[in-house]
Amino acid sequence: MSVDRIADHVRAGERLSAAEALELYRAAPTALLGRLADGVRARKHAEGVVTYIIDRNVNYTNVCVAKCNFCAFYREVGSPDGYVLGFDELFRKIDETIAVGGAQLLLQGGHNPDLPLTWYEDLFRAIKERYPRFKLHALSPPEILHLSRLSQLPVSAIIERLIAAGLDSVPGGGAEILVDRVRHLLHCYGKASADEWLDVMRQAHHAGLRTTATMMYGTVETDEERLEHLLRLRALQDETGGFTAFITWSYQPDHTELLGTEATGIEYLRTLAIARIVLDNFDNLQASWVTQGGKVGQLSLAYGANDMGSVMIEENVVRAAGASYCMDEAEIVRNIEDAGFVAKRRDMHYEVLGDPICRAREVPRMLELATARADGDVHVPEELMNYPARSRAGKQLRVIPH
Ligand code: SF4
């Protein structure tokens, strides 16, 4: 079918088949893809509002046994650079988040064999006890699977226990490309196959949680595989309706085992646009300014995005792989308004909370992103001694008095 005919289908609000989406992605001029995606956005968000959330992206540990070859963030068990954040450090990060108007942590980390399920439960309970209204958008599907394997409990039981401890929603990390050929090549099949990732999300939705979905493109996958990823997400959304939003970003190659080059800004905009067109049952698409920079982030609003994501107070993962863009609330709001939209703060469910906080009160400007912990800090949190370690290195650390 010709690109013009497919474009007519999109304008008419019709769902695209895999073949139509592939033809459009490959052959449509970038400006046309953008106009079509913008049309879908405008139908779904006719009021011209672009949202963002004030939260903090905290990585509680960088110790990971998964060893994905595209990841520059993880450290092996026993590495001198490995860390686990203490509960007190996490409370301090929450205090700082609240001070700039935030109400949520995005909490993700490596698959650390020395952190049992009870550590997570105690942490979530402690946070909720101290900050009852603070939200936890935490633990991507592979982390939940890791806990299921570590505890020898089914995924549904892990989700249930985490919800009881305070989990509010699940971030869509660890999806990369939901095609097993790609996952084998990226050494991430073992942490979660495509079916396993989707099934954790299915079970989270059945348990009443809303979640996001993501796609990291630009490694070894084909165009067909990118579209297969989108179509699998669309199918699960048809089934459960549990996804709040979709976020895509390009692979960041620095310091990774896989190496390679980063996809261009044009490829990002084309990929975002085709996602907006294909994911007709997703309400929200985020702009990934953290990997693309503020200006491409702003341009994303003309290619299907209706959300600027998070005011990143802290970022560790893509920074380790070479990207370290920073925008505080004032900068995000300026980018939204300069693009002709109305900027509104939202919560994790994409409900509007109100106007920018920096308009209502003095908020400290944040011109640099924080990191999980300062360079050279090798402190081991005291409460870790209360939890059994699985690895030899972890066991040794826990018997040495600090
Ligand atoms: S991407 Fe996540 S699971 Fe994979 S090595 Fe990095 S921290 Fe571990």
Side-chain angles (χ1 to χ4, degrees):
M1 195 185 290
S2 72
V3 164
D4 287 346
R5 288 269 314 274
I6 302 168
D8 286 341
H9 285 314
V10 176
R11 289 190 196 97
E14 290 166 21
R15 176 168 275 199
L16 293 193
S17 68
E20 289 168 337
L22 184 64
E23 178 63 15
L24 199 63
Y25 188 40
R26 283 198 173 145
T30 303
L32 173 63
L33 266 182
R35 279 200 303 279
L36 294 174
D38 192 48
V40 178
R41 181 211 49 82
R43 279 204 296 274
K44 288 182 179 282
H45 301 277
E47 66 298 339
V49 165
V50 167
T51 47
Y52 63 93
I53 187 164
I54 305 178
D55 72 355
R56 184 165 187 155
N57 189 350
V58 175
N59 302 106
Y60 55 90
T61 182
N62 63 348
V63 175
C64 188
V65 290
K67 302 184 192 176
C68 309
N69 63 8
F70 57 84
C71 176
F73 168 70
Y74 81 90
R75 293 293 177 271
E76 297 201 23
V77 173
S79 159
D81 299 333
Y83 73 81
V84 174
L85 296 182
F87 288 11
D88 283 340
E89 277 175 278
L90 285 157
F91 297 152
R92 183 180 54 74
K93 287 174 186 290
I94 293 175
D95 288 334
E96 289 172 4
T97 308
I98 291 171
V100 293
Q104 167 185 301
L105 272 198
L106 166 53
L107 190 66
Q108 301 180 106
H111 301 187
N112 187 333
D114 298 324
L115 294 179
L117 178 60
T118 47
W119 180 88
Y120 295 84
E121 290 178 308
D122 291 347
L123 173 65
F124 288 11
R125 286 213 171 85
I127 291 174
K128 289 293 181 166
E129 204 169 292
R130 242 177 136 106
Y131 312 94
R133 291 173 51 212
F134 203 76
K135 300 290 182 199
L136 289 171
H137 182 47
L139 308 189
S140 61
E143 289 167 272
I144 292 175
L145 264 176
H146 163 75
L147 283 175
S148 154
R149 291 167 182 160
L150 202 64
S151 333
Q152 309 263 298
L153 289 169
V155 163
S156 56
I158 299 292
I159 292 175
E160 213 173 283
R161 281 177 61 169
L162 291 171
I163 291 175
L167 178 68
D168 292 296
S169 69
V170 172
E176 337 310 351
I177 294 286
L178 292 169
V179 175
D180 286 340
R181 184 196 78 88
V182 177
R183 304 186 76 76
H184 278 294
L185 290 172
L186 297 180
H187 299 179
C188 66
Y189 176 81
K191 76 173 179 184
S193 67
D195 283 347
E196 285 171 328
W197 189 98
L198 289 160
D199 195 54
V200 173
M201 285 308 198
R202 180 179 290 110
Q203 298 203 46
H205 296 164
H206 287 159
L209 295 178
R210 304 298 305 278
T211 77
T212 53
T214 66
M215 175 170 83
M216 181 193 72
Y217 67 91
T219 55
V220 298
E221 80 285 352
T222 61
D223 292 346
E224 286 89 342
E225 286 166 334
R226 290 181 193 178
L227 285 163
E228 187 178 336
H229 177 103
L230 296 177
L231 293 169
R232 295 205 73 183
L233 291 176
R234 187 171 79 180
L236 183 57
Q237 181 74 329
D238 278 344
E239 186 187 322
T240 65
F243 290 117
T244 51
F246 172 79
I247 311 121
T248 187
W249 63 84
S250 56
Y251 161 58
Q252 305 293 308
D254 287 5
H255 313 297
T256 64
E257 187 191 329
L258 185 64
L259 294 172
T261 49
E262 189 187 342
T264 64
I266 291 291
E267 195 168 355
Y268 171 72
L269 293 172
R270 293 183 65 86
T271 305
L272 176 71
I274 198 68
R276 180 58 291 178
I277 294 164
V278 170
L279 296 175
D280 55 2
N281 51 5
F282 276 65
D283 288 339
N284 303 292
L285 258 73
Q286 269 187 32
S288 178
W289 60 263
V290 180
T291 55
Q292 306 301 317
K295 292 304 160 217
V296 176
Q298 185 184 46
L299 208 49
S300 304
L301 303 179
Y303 282 76
N306 65 294
D307 185 271
M308 282 294 260
S310 160
V311 169
M312 286 269 173
I313 298 167
E314 171 174 332
E315 210 295 316
N316 305 286
V317 176
V318 300
R319 181 208 302 255
S324 64
Y325 294 107
C326 176
M327 284 206 281
D328 64 6
E329 191 197 22
E331 184 91 21
I332 285 187
V333 168
R334 192 172 59 75
N335 272 287
I336 294 171
E337 291 178 345
D338 287 354
F341 294 97
V342 178
K344 296 276 184 193
R345 264 181 312 121
R346 66 160 170 89
D347 65 12
M348 61 169 48
H349 294 127
Y350 289 75
E351 299 292 335
V352 168
L353 292 176
D355 293 328
I357 286 218
C358 59
R359 293 270 158 76
R361 66 172 164 87
E362 195 75 32
V363 176
R365 288 301 308 264
M366 202 182 46
L367 302 173
E368 218 179 285
L369 294 175
T371 50
R373 68 180 348 192
D375 276 350
D377 180 358
V378 292
H379 148 258
V380 178
E382 237 171 68
E383 73 271 350
L384 264 192
M385 304 302 156
N386 302 326
Y387 300 93
R390 288 282 289 267
S391 76
R392 189 191 301 175
K395 283 177 184 154
Q396 276 167 0
L397 261 184
R398 286 179 203 182
V399 292
I400 299 167
H402 288 272

